[in-house]
Amino acid sequence: MDAVPNTTPFSLLAERWQPSAAMVKRAAFAALVMSVVIVVTGGAVRLTASGLGCTTWPRCTDESLTPTAEMGFHGIVEFTNRMLTYVLSAAVGWAIVAARCARPRRRGLTKLGWAQFWLVMSNAVLGGITVLTGLNPYTVALHLIAAMALVWVATQMWERSKEGDGPARPLVAEPIKRLSYALVGVIGLLVAAGTLVTGAGHHPGTPKDNKMVPRIPLDYDRLAQAHADLAFLSIGLSIAVVFVFAAVKAPPAARARARELLVGLLLQGVIGFVQYFTDVPELLVGLHMLGATLIWIAALRIPLALRTREDAPAPTAPPTLTPQPATA
């Protein structure tokens, strides 16, 4: 008896619609853009002191799903950020469907799309816990780190959408790859340290006269200095990567991305120092958060430019057996 094929809504859709490779790339890029937008708008919630604009979760109040007129501006800001999660989910859903319906089927891309979906869901729960715990700074920091994890996976999917599904083939020696991984690790530590500085800093996410929001009980100036030290380390390592890539004649794309990262780090350093010595104004903090997200993406793209993937070989059909005539 022939095996019954496993039919799902995705497989039925894939039989009727096969998006082009360009559409798959656009879908993956849209998911990446929305992952950046959700980081920036989440920062806007904090910087406008709207962290408790909605007093509970998943509703905005105990009686209302949406903000009431009494909540004013802060309720609108917080609720808008929550609604953008649905836009993000739609973008991720488009990326999943496009990858699943593409021909040939992009199994690796589909898995990265589903990873984004579960990160969005888990981060929504973390956002709810953040509200229910009264903007506990540790959950706020974890909320941002989870958002950066989403950016990581979205970047992977976008880059993979421009490649084939064959095995990765390195374009440089192993020590060069490890150097690029070390750079990504240091940038990751820099971003994580920034979340601690925010947790101990001047923007708790509520009006400054609200003394009920806890802060990380560490010296703000020392945390800022540690963050600056990691920034100097990142810049130094980035300079080293630029020169090493030039010396070993790394792929042009990798060299270009290394230079872009260095320029971004220098600009981000200027913004960081200006905001520190001007008592961290909200606009500069918002620009700094956007810059941190873009630098994270720039760092992640460097190792991906040090290898290539060709199209996976097409599956071969099993040979058919031709019946032989009977012999006397």
Side-chain angles (χ1 to χ4, degrees):
M1 181 181 294
D2 294 337
V4 178
N6 184 18
T7 303
T8 66
F10 285 109
S11 64
L12 293 174
L13 179 61
E15 292 175 0
R16 293 162 174 79
W17 177 64
Q18 290 83 41
S20 65
M23 180 173 290
V24 175
K25 294 175 189 176
R26 288 195 294 269
F29 184 67
L32 175 59
V33 169
M34 281 307 305
S35 71
V36 175
V37 169
I38 207 70
V39 171
V40 175
T41 57
V45 171
R46 169 179 286 273
L47 296 172
T48 57
S50 304
L52 294 177
C54 287
T55 55
T56 188
W57 184 88
R59 289 174 170 267
C60 196
T61 70
D62 291 332
E63 295 80 22
S64 175
L65 182 64
T66 60
T68 61
E70 293 76 13
M71 293 178 170
F73 172 75
H74 297 307
I76 294 173
V77 172
E78 165 67 6
F79 187 72
T80 299
N81 184 61
R82 293 187 183 189
M83 291 299 99
L84 281 174
T85 302
Y86 294 101
V87 180
L88 170 62
S89 299
V92 171
W94 180 30
I96 293 171
V97 171
R100 173 60 182 84
C101 294
R103 289 292 180 269
R105 184 176 174 183
R106 305 295 304 271
R107 294 181 183 274
L109 283 185
T110 305
K111 291 179 180 178
L112 289 171
W114 279 111
Q116 289 181 73
F117 171 80
W118 291 114
L119 279 169
V120 171
M121 295 300 102
S122 62
N123 213 16
V125 173
L126 277 174
I129 294 172
T130 299
V131 172
L132 296 176
T133 57
L135 303 186
N136 181 283
Y138 298 105
T139 60
V140 172
L142 187 59
H143 191 41
L144 178 56
I145 290 175
M148 288 298 187
L150 175 63
V151 172
W152 182 2
V153 179
T155 302
Q156 295 278 336
M157 185 176 186
W158 178 47
E159 290 295 331
R160 284 289 304 275
S161 71
K162 297 180 281 185
E163 304 173 328
D165 279 337
R169 181 171 62 84
L171 300 176
V172 294
E174 185 65 25
I176 307 302
K177 289 170 53 181
R178 292 178 181 174
L179 177 62
S180 70
Y181 295 150
L183 178 61
V184 171
V186 171
I187 297 297
L189 290 175
L190 177 65
V191 172
T195 66
L196 294 178
V197 175
T198 301
H202 306 297
H203 299 289
T206 59
K208 294 183 178 180
D209 57 355
N210 185 347
K211 305 299 183 182
M212 300 299 294
V213 177
R215 313 300 295 136
I216 293 177
L218 295 174
D219 184 80
Y220 173 76
D221 291 328
R222 290 187 177 181
L223 281 176
Q225 182 60 57
H227 185 52
D229 292 341
L230 281 170
F232 286 126
L233 176 60
S234 300
I235 291 172
L237 189 55
S238 181
I239 292 172
V241 166
V242 169
F243 281 103
V244 170
F245 280 13
V248 302
K249 294 182 172 57
R255 283 181 276 171
R257 293 177 186 184
R259 292 192 296 268
E260 291 169 2
L261 174 62
L262 177 58
V263 171
L265 283 169
L266 292 173
L267 291 174
Q268 183 77 335
V270 170
I271 294 174
F273 276 107
V274 171
Q275 74 172 17
Y276 180 80
F277 290 109
T278 56
D279 200 26
V280 285
E282 288 80 0
L283 179 59
L284 285 183
V285 176
L287 287 175
H288 200 57
M289 289 189 66
L290 173 61
T293 310
L294 297 179
I295 283 174
W296 180 228
I297 294 172
L300 291 170
R301 295 180 72 213
I302 292 175
L304 302 178
L306 298 177
R307 51 101 174 112
T308 185
R309 288 180 184 270
E310 304 297 336
D311 289 331
T316 57
T320 57
L321 298 178
T322 303
Q324 299 296 324
T327 58

